[in-house]
Amino acid sequence: MSRKTYKIAVLPGDGTGPEVTVEAIKTLNAAAAKFGFTLDMTTFDWDGNRYLRTGVVLPDNAAETLRQFDAILLGAIGHPDVKPGILEKGILLKLRFELDQYINLRPVKLYPGVETPLKDKTPEHIDYMVVRENTGGLYTGTGGISMKGTANEVAVQSMVYSRFQVERCLRYAFKQVLSRHSKSKPWKGLSEKDIQAGKIGQMTLCGKTNVLTFVYDLWERAMYEIAPEFPQVKTDYCHVDATCMWMVKNPEWFDVIVTGNMFGDIITDLGAITQGGMGIAAGGNINPEGVSMFEPIGGSAPKYTGMGVINPLAAICSGAMMLNELGEGRASDAIEQAVIEITSAKLKSMAAGKMGFSTSQVGDMVAEAI
Ligand code: IPM
Ligand code: MN
């Protein structure tokens, strides 16, 4: 029997992106060897340096090219010599939109041995998933500036959501609850009464129905209309400001949080710091019917470029998420277990320069543990 081969497009990107990507690939290959499949990687230099050299942010056929792959692994986008917005919009957001990666999946999970700024909270309290809508809302760029540069100038940027976008995101989030729990192993935040009622987990819609009475009204109505399709999921609603508060005070109240693009961007940085920071926070831009792109949620950390001090675990965990999406769940779990071994026993800190090991040593340790 021939080994299964997955075609992976690698976009190392800017700053420390390439360094963490090397370590992610190292651990992915270790998992592939162990579980009997092959990753056929092709690297693309679509990054800030190429833009500075050529003036081209992304080739016109980039999305078409990437559609030929099974998945995309991305390091980081953002170059100190390029005006903010050009690369982010021109590479990252463009790919998310053109490949219709309508879900941004961001686990908030505190691993053993990792320090959290939340008092008295341990891994059993911080373990939830944020499903951030990834192609709509304030990110569509709908709006404009008129009378620019005058005292009368007006800027508008609209939060745009179609029912279609909202429904497909909500359905994905409902299914996410089902994939995290089972009848025999329900989410531990449920009450006896919920379990009696057949619930196995909870989905919290994070919105702002008291002010954004159009957009989040649509989200809320859609959620309650779809809920009967998922009788095992308990539905819950929380305003975004209160969500931030509870993410700090009582993170154990959350199982799956679903929200729009802008709120999702903001609350996942808060979530990331509660799980140990950008060094460990992973994510995936997912098109469940197409090609998905996996990236650490932090930026390119230019000041640490080339020093070998950046934490590669976020990139490594993003690689694990990629394997899960490809259907290699056991290999994905093996990477995660190896990461847990390293965070519990070896790493002093998740912060750049404070790990007690270099970037490549951390990658080596994870690969070895696999
Ligand atoms: C993220 C980033 C991006 C976003 C930026 C770089 C465009 O902050 O992935 O969270 O806002 O989505
Ligand atoms: Mn962000």
Side-chain angles (χ1 to χ4, degrees):
M1 215 177 81
S2 71
R3 281 162 77 94
K4 187 148 193 187
T5 298
Y6 299 98
K7 287 174 67 183
I8 309 298
V10 181
L11 279 60
D14 303 308
T16 52
E19 294 162 60
V20 296
T21 303
V22 165
E23 304 312 315
I25 291 173
K26 193 186 277 177
T27 59
L28 283 166
N29 283 332
K34 176 154 181 194
F35 290 91
F37 58 91
T38 305
L39 297 165
D40 175 10
M41 313 237 188
T42 308
T43 302
F44 295 89
D45 67 345
W46 297 335
D47 56 24
N49 285 327
R50 183 175 183 279
Y51 167 68
L52 289 172
R53 221 171 48 238
T54 65
V56 178
V57 183
L58 198 63
D60 287 337
N61 65 350
E64 198 186 310
T65 305
L66 293 174
R67 269 192 211 100
Q68 314 304 313
F69 289 83
D70 294 308
I72 306 159
L73 192 65
L74 176 76
I77 298 293
H79 193 293
D81 302 339
V82 180
K83 195 172 154 232
I86 295 180
L87 302 172
E88 293 86 340
K89 278 185 144 172
I91 301 179
L92 189 58
L93 298 184
K94 191 154 192 251
L95 291 177
R96 287 177 183 171
F97 278 71
E98 289 198 355
L99 297 171
D100 201 20
Q101 293 162 341
Y102 60 88
I103 299 297
N104 199 324
L105 193 61
R106 299 188 160 181
V108 180
K109 188 167 180 179
L110 179 66
Y111 288 126
V114 177
E115 201 181 329
T116 173
L118 302 189
K119 188 166 161 271
D120 299 333
K121 298 296 175 188
T122 64
E124 71 172 289
H125 301 105
I126 305 176
D127 183 6
Y128 55 96
M129 184 68 85
V130 179
V131 176
R132 164 186 175 190
E133 200 288 330
N134 211 30
T135 54
L138 284 170
Y139 280 69
T140 55
T142 309
I145 301 192
S146 48
M147 294 169 282
K148 191 168 180 174
T150 74
N152 293 321
E153 75 178 303
V154 179
V156 181
Q157 201 129 17
S158 304
M159 186 179 278
V160 183
Y161 268 114
S162 68
R163 169 153 300 247
F164 169 75
Q165 285 177 314
V166 169
E167 285 196 5
R168 68 179 180 173
C169 179
L170 286 166
R171 282 204 172 81
Y172 183 90
F174 273 113
K175 289 182 196 154
Q176 194 49 225
V177 176
L178 300 183
S179 74
R180 285 166 63 82
H181 312 288
S182 62
K183 210 167 153 51
S184 59
K185 254 187 133 187
W187 175 55
K188 57 184 186 310
L190 291 171
S191 69
E192 204 42 55
K193 203 171 141 220
D194 295 328
I195 291 172
Q196 291 296 319
K199 306 296 177 194
I200 64 170
Q202 171 179 277
M203 183 179 90
T204 304
L205 170 62
C206 161
K208 188 75 185 171
T209 53
N210 53 350
V211 176
L212 304 178
T213 49
F214 308 132
V215 165
Y216 280 98
D217 180 67
L218 169 59
W219 278 85
E220 196 180 26
R221 278 183 293 114
M223 174 171 82
Y224 290 123
E225 281 165 33
I226 293 168
E229 293 171 30
F230 301 92
Q232 292 177 300
V233 179
K234 181 182 178 186
T235 49
D236 179 31
Y237 172 84
C238 200
H239 292 322
V240 62
D241 44 356
T243 304
C244 292
M245 187 168 71
W246 300 129
M247 281 170 66
V248 171
K249 177 97 186 353
N250 295 100
E252 65 280 6
W253 285 0
F254 297 114
D255 179 10
V256 170
I257 299 178
V258 62
T259 190
N261 210 343
M262 188 77 257
F263 293 169
D265 176 49
I266 298 166
I267 70 168
T268 52
D269 266 31
L270 174 57
I273 205 72
T274 68
Q275 66 177 122
M278 291 306 179
I280 184 94
N285 302 280
I286 297 185
N287 177 342
E289 296 86 32
V291 185
S292 301
M293 176 166 77
F294 297 83
E295 51 160 344
I297 93 165
S300 56
K303 69 175 177 189
Y304 297 118
T305 305
M307 295 164 68
V309 296
I310 196 80
N311 188 342
L313 289 180
I316 291 171
C317 291
S318 302
M321 289 180 74
M322 178 178 84
L323 292 186
N324 195 45
E325 194 64 23
L326 289 170
E328 297 291 345
R330 283 180 344 125
S332 172
D333 291 347
I335 297 182
E336 191 180 21
Q337 281 314 311
V339 167
I340 289 174
E341 239 176 77
I342 303 312
T343 60
S344 345
K346 305 219 160 124
L347 287 204
K348 289 206 191 83
S349 159
M350 294 301 116
K354 297 185 181 152
M355 300 186 290
F357 298 92
S358 71
T359 304
S360 67
Q361 283 174 324
V362 175
D364 288 343
M365 290 190 294
V366 176
E368 203 142 301
I370 292 168

